[in-house]
Amino acid sequence: MRFSKLYAPTTKDAPKDATLPSHKFLLRGGFVTQSGSGLYSFLPLGKIVLDKIRDVVKEEMDSSGAQEIQMGVVTNADLWKQSGRYEIFGKELCRLKDRKNNEFVLGPTHEEVVVDIVRNILTSYKQLPLHLYQITTKFRDEARPRFGLLRGREFIMKDGYSFHDSTQSLQEEFDHMEETYRKIFTKLGLDFRVVDADSGAIGGSGSKEFMVLADNGEDDIVVCKSCEYAANIEAAKRAKRMTDAEAPEADFAKFYTPTPTKDSIRHIAEFFKIDEFYTIKSVIKKAIYKDEEKIISFFVRGCDTLQETKAQNACGALELVDASEEEVRAAGLNPGFCGPLRMPEDAEFYIDIELKDEKNLICGANEENYHFVGVSMFNFKDSRYKDLIQVSAGDICPKCGAKLGITKGIEVGHIFQLGQKYAAAMDAKFLDKNGKTQPFYMGCYGIGVSRLVAVMIEASHDEKGCIWNKQTAPFLLDIIVSNIKDEEQSNFANELYGKLDGKKVLLDERKERFGFKMGDFELLGFPYALIVGKGLKEGTVELVERKTLKKTKVKKDEILPLLEELLS
Ligand code: ATP
Ligand code: MG
């Protein structure tokens, strides 16, 4: 490709809201252009990268045995009502009506549509397993679209759906997809971890995320410093927390504890001169359900933090929000003095599982200015106990006993075992080996294909611009003619370009200053540049490696085979 013909409008500055390198460089390099909040168009360079990523994904998916299909972006709202997600999905789901008032949904994911495609057609275990996938546009009306392609409203996802006659068959495909995804992200040259994850609104049990390690990631991931254990903070576990601090042994009693309600745990620990480990903290939330709202209390150790996704899963709410002081009082609770003993009769509450059977604790007495001491946690139903705490750095690995650390990651893939949830809700059944009808077991598997374009840059850039690897670079080589008026330089560059693959090589023969062209090379981040400049008179050209910006002089007669090798 000749640079003079390429539509790549590069700019010096990025818009103010572009704070991350990938966002800045994608806009400045003219890879993409923004058309609205969370809406982007891919320009030629961005489209080449997108297609290269898509090709890697497609190749591995095809060789895994999955079959590519293409479902519509506009989906029938009835299907969403059948699965129950029409309400559950909340505001991210873009609902629309046609001229006849029929209701539709812009597909944020396609479980419903794919179930509808196979139901009444896959009717026997003999037709299973089956895996269908697509690489298409999704729409989610994200609350905060940001970071360019990392969190758009319209984006491109590879989404696959598998159908099985048993949990065992589903498990096999789930493991097979984990392997397939590992191959895809390895091929793309990414440093990633496979982590245990929360299943979120998609539901089901058993899910793993593929996280690319990156400082600018939105996700916190817990990783063991010694073994393979890794998990999203929303799902991370730890070995039960212990302490060396002395236990405040005491008989059960009620104490007058006039402490401020703000930061009450610290005041209580100081008041009794004990470690916060031995206190119980209450976190009171307003839980939003489809048709109602409830005030719910969550109890964790004073030294722990409530993990909100775990809390939400514990009570099955659609959303948890902070409860105001009036709302807390209206529910019969005392802010600052709330504890699991003697809660109002109808109050809903959950206790962190690590508190089960613990003793010598101090907690609010559910009475203004009073706490209980000598509390033992023996008399609660098992259903009250849930895993509620957020793992923090320095906690102990549940697998090997070493210390856990926390790093940032970007989610690039997510695989789920959905089980029978969707098939049961949508009445998609097959005849099993014993002649009994039952709903399919399903798995679903997503990869953020357009997000990956940005992830490649987050994973590899410097202050000047992108640094593409060979697998995803829009062009592998940029031949820069230093002085376009110099006929010898022009002729040499043109001749060389003519001998190379024009799909891999860009010839920068624009009538621009050398510095400007070099700046574009650095910003756009092709793996190599060849500078055809003054040295040509002495018979040399200069090869620049983008990663290191190291320049190497090469004899002009020796350059062709060298380039051919770099491009192969
Ligand atoms: P996130 O937690 O980042 O919002 P998610 O868990 O909602 O993502 P999934 O439903 O698991 O996303 O979708 C599969 C993949 O699609 C994700 O792993 C991610 O790579 C990609 N993806 C999800 N939302 C977006 C978005 N708004 N913009 C770009 N890619 C996205
Ligand atoms: Mg996900």
Side-chain angles (χ1 to χ4, degrees):
M1 178 96 205
R2 288 173 183 272
F3 213 140
S4 59
K5 301 271 185 291
L6 176 69
Y7 186 67
T10 58
T11 53
K12 246 190 144 67
D13 301 306
K16 276 207 186 68
D17 69 324
T19 50
L20 297 195
S22 62
H23 192 182
K24 275 189 210 160
F25 296 145
L26 283 171
L27 289 171
R28 283 192 49 212
F31 290 91
V32 300
T33 177
Q34 185 166 9
S35 64
S37 168
L39 305 175
Y40 291 86
S41 301
F42 284 82
L43 301 184
L45 289 176
K47 174 73 170 131
I48 298 173
V49 177
L50 181 70
D51 284 351
K52 283 188 149 190
I53 293 172
R54 189 189 200 117
D55 287 350
V56 170
V57 174
K58 177 170 167 56
E59 193 180 324
E60 290 301 331
M61 286 305 295
D62 287 346
S63 64
S64 82
Q67 298 170 55
E68 189 173 7
I69 59 171
Q70 183 161 333
M71 295 180 260
V73 175
V74 179
T75 69
N76 188 336
D78 283 345
L79 299 174
W80 292 82
K81 289 178 184 168
Q82 287 167 27
S83 74
R85 280 208 293 186
Y86 195 70
E87 279 89 22
I88 292 172
F89 226 101
K91 290 189 179 149
E92 271 189 27
L93 197 67
C94 185
R95 302 157 170 93
L96 44 111
K97 283 184 183 168
D98 69 5
R99 64 172 80 199
K100 293 179 191 150
N101 253 352
N102 295 314
E103 293 174 307
F104 296 91
V105 161
L106 291 186
T109 168
H110 278 83
E111 284 79 8
E112 283 78 359
V113 181
V114 80
V115 167
D116 187 48
I117 287 175
V118 300
R119 81 176 147 185
N120 304 325
I121 293 177
L122 288 185
T123 50
S124 157
Y125 73 93
K126 290 179 196 154
Q127 296 163 290
L128 301 171
L130 176 73
H131 188 149
L132 302 174
Y133 82 96
Q134 62 172 350
I135 302 173
T136 56
T137 298
K138 298 279 175 282
F139 190 89
R140 293 182 184 179
D141 201 353
E142 297 268 356
R144 287 208 290 162
R146 56 196 172 146
F147 308 142
L149 295 183
L150 287 177
R151 185 166 300 284
R153 291 198 295 167
E154 188 182 273
F155 58 97
I156 295 169
M157 198 202 287
K158 186 289 292 179
D159 46 327
Y161 307 89
S162 67
F163 305 91
H164 308 271
D165 66 352
S166 66
T167 49
Q168 190 196 338
S169 166
L170 168 58
Q171 183 70 48
E172 279 165 21
E173 184 64 7
F174 185 78
D175 295 341
H176 182 44
M177 273 301 121
E178 179 177 336
E179 271 322 297
T180 304
Y181 276 32
R182 281 179 190 273
K183 281 188 202 156
I184 290 170
F185 299 124
T186 304
K187 233 183 190 177
L188 291 173
L190 292 168
D191 183 12
F192 65 95
R193 297 284 181 283
V194 186
V195 309
D196 292 343
D198 172 65
S199 295
I202 287 190
S205 61
S207 103
K208 287 187 180 179
E209 283 166 348
F210 294 74
M211 291 284 182
V212 168
L213 303 187
D215 297 339
N216 292 322
E218 284 187 279
D219 288 280
D220 286 311
I221 53 181
V222 173
V223 284
C224 177
K225 295 187 169 154
S226 143
C227 77
E228 276 281 280
Y229 181 73
N232 189 309
I233 193 99
E234 296 175 347
K237 306 226 180 292
R238 69 180 182 199
K240 188 170 170 175
R241 181 176 273 192
M242 303 294 199
T243 183
D244 295 332
E246 201 184 325
E249 283 180 34
D251 291 332
F252 180 72
K254 194 164 85 177
F255 255 82
Y256 181 58
T257 52
T259 45
T261 53
K262 261 218 162 94
D263 208 6
S264 61
I265 286 299
R266 189 169 58 80
H267 289 296
I268 284 300
E270 277 168 14
F271 185 95
F272 287 106
K273 300 194 172 43
I274 53 152
D275 195 287
E276 291 182 3
F277 179 85
Y278 291 106
T279 66
I280 299 180
K281 167 161 79 186
S282 66
V283 184
I284 305 173
K285 292 277 174 189
K286 181 158 80 176
I288 318 272
Y289 295 87
K290 197 174 136 201
D291 303 314
E292 59 173 340
E293 293 178 354
K294 279 191 221 164
I295 297 298
I296 302 184
S297 309
F298 299 92
F299 297 106
V300 299
R301 281 191 194 278
C303 58
D304 277 327
T305 307
L306 180 75
Q307 213 307 313
E308 292 227 358
T309 302
K310 289 184 180 180
Q312 193 182 334
N313 290 341
C315 64
L318 297 178
E319 200 187 346
L320 286 184
V321 295
D322 288 339
S324 69
E325 187 169 337
E326 294 88 74
E327 286 168 327
V328 172
R329 291 202 189 274
L333 303 170
N334 282 291
F337 301 93
C338 181
L341 301 189
R342 302 193 196 160
M343 283 286 277
E345 207 143 87
D346 53 351
E348 184 166 337
F349 65 97
Y350 297 93
I351 306 167
D352 182 53
I353 187 85
E354 287 191 20
L355 285 166
K356 191 168 184 211
D357 298 338
E358 291 291 290
K359 39 187 207 244
N360 300 318
L361 297 161
I362 293 179
C363 68
N366 291 314
E367 194 179 327
E368 198 82 27
N369 292 332
Y370 283 95
H371 275 77
F372 290 131
V373 302
V375 172
S376 298
M377 301 293 286
F378 296 143
N379 289 327
F380 296 101
K381 295 184 287 196
D382 274 354
S383 58
R384 291 245 183 253
Y385 289 106
K386 305 275 181 186
D387 173 17
L388 296 176
I389 56 89
Q390 176 149 309
V391 171
S392 44
D395 280 344
I396 302 301
C397 173
K399 288 248 166 86
C400 78
K403 282 214 165 132
L404 295 170
I406 295 187
T407 57
K408 292 276 179 198
I410 305 174
E411 182 187 324
V412 290
H414 198 165
I415 57 176
F416 299 83
Q417 296 191 32
L418 297 173
Q420 293 176 302
K421 181 178 154 161
Y422 287 90
M426 296 182 68
D427 202 28
K429 294 184 172 151
F430 71 101
L431 208 55
D432 69 16
K433 283 187 184 110
N434 305 317
K436 226 181 85 193
T437 55
Q438 56 164 322
F440 303 123
Y441 294 86
M442 282 178 68
C444 80
Y445 317 91
I447 290 182
V449 175
S450 54
R451 176 179 284 186
L452 274 167
V453 174
V455 169
M456 296 304 301
I457 299 175
E458 288 302 327
S460 175
H461 65 269
D462 60 15
E463 72 288 349
K464 295 184 166 172
C466 316
I467 304 176
W468 297 104
N469 60 25
K470 236 174 135 176
Q471 189 65 247
T472 49
F475 290 94
L476 299 186
L477 173 70
D478 184 13
I479 302 178
I480 301 176
V481 185
S482 176
N483 176 7
I484 196 77
K485 290 183 196 136
D486 181 321
E487 229 169 90
E488 192 189 354
Q489 287 182 20
S490 262
N491 288 345
F492 180 83
N494 260 303
E495 204 175 303
L496 194 62
Y497 173 69
K499 289 180 185 150
L500 297 166
D501 182 351
K503 270 191 149 174
K504 295 180 180 170
V505 181
L506 197 59
L507 174 64
D508 196 349
E509 26 60 301
R510 292 176 298 172
K511 290 193 188 78
E512 298 284 356
R513 284 179 301 109
F514 170 70
F516 179 85
K517 296 199 251 193
M518 201 53 195
D520 271 359
F521 161 68
E522 288 165 348
L523 171 64
L524 297 174
F526 312 117
Y528 296 98
L530 185 77
I531 304 173
V532 180
K534 284 191 195 120
L536 197 65
K537 290 233 175 312
E538 286 92 54
T540 60
V541 286
E542 263 184 321
L543 188 66
V544 190
E545 187 192 34
R546 174 62 187 90
K547 202 165 165 183
T548 56
L549 290 176
K550 227 178 77 195
K551 291 180 181 171
T552 318
K553 276 202 169 102
V554 185
K555 288 194 185 122
K556 68 173 189 181
D557 303 332
E558 290 169 11
I559 193 67
L560 183 62
L562 185 66
L563 293 181
E564 280 171 338
E565 199 186 310
L566 288 180
L567 298 180
S568 67

